[in-house]
Amino acid sequence: MARPQSAPEFDKKKVVAENRRARFDYAIDQVFEAGIALQGTEVKSLRFGEGTIAESYAEVAGGEVWLINANIPEFSHGNRFNHEPRRPRKLLLNTREINKLHAAVARQGMTLVPLSVYFNGRGRAKVELALAKGKKAHDKRESIKERDWKRDKQRLMKERG
């Protein structure tokens, strides 16, 4: 199996939600930074550190990319204009990037997985979106072995030095 490429570093100032399980369940191919179209109370909830993307995914529909099943709870001080917690949210990408994602999902059987939701240096909410392929059970076992070996190696180095 090819060695996974390191994800590009984006300007993450405040990480709100992270999907740590995605790196274990999927072989990450490419990572994109996408803006997210939010309502006012959604932004306030995210700034308070609320929100989960553990069970969410993205899909390309009608030339647009949508974040499905992401949970941003209602804002506690919101009024009747509060948002729906699990509504589909539009992701903001260039047309060229959308076409690339659509082609990969349609032809190669790839999946769009959100890795994290964060605020960048300018205070904008962003989603780190990965183009990934699902791992088989034997690949998962291999990554567990590799992780355990790294841990044991660090322990041995600490004892020796």
Side-chain angles (χ1 to χ4, degrees), residues 45-98:
S45 283
L46 285 176
R47 289 209 189 275
F48 276 109
E50 299 174 351
T52 56
I53 56 169
E55 300 135 7
S56 64
Y57 62 96
E59 68 178 20
V60 181
E64 296 176 339
V65 181
W66 295 89
L67 182 64
I68 310 294
N69 209 24
N71 184 26
I72 300 174
E74 289 185 346
F75 184 56
S76 58
H77 302 306
N79 53 15
R80 61 187 173 149
F81 299 112
N82 227 335
H83 64 276
E84 186 182 325
R86 288 196 180 264
R87 74 176 184 89
R89 293 166 178 91
K90 185 177 176 181
L91 297 181
L92 309 171
L93 290 160
N94 292 330
T95 307
R96 186 176 60 235
E97 291 174 330
I98 293 172

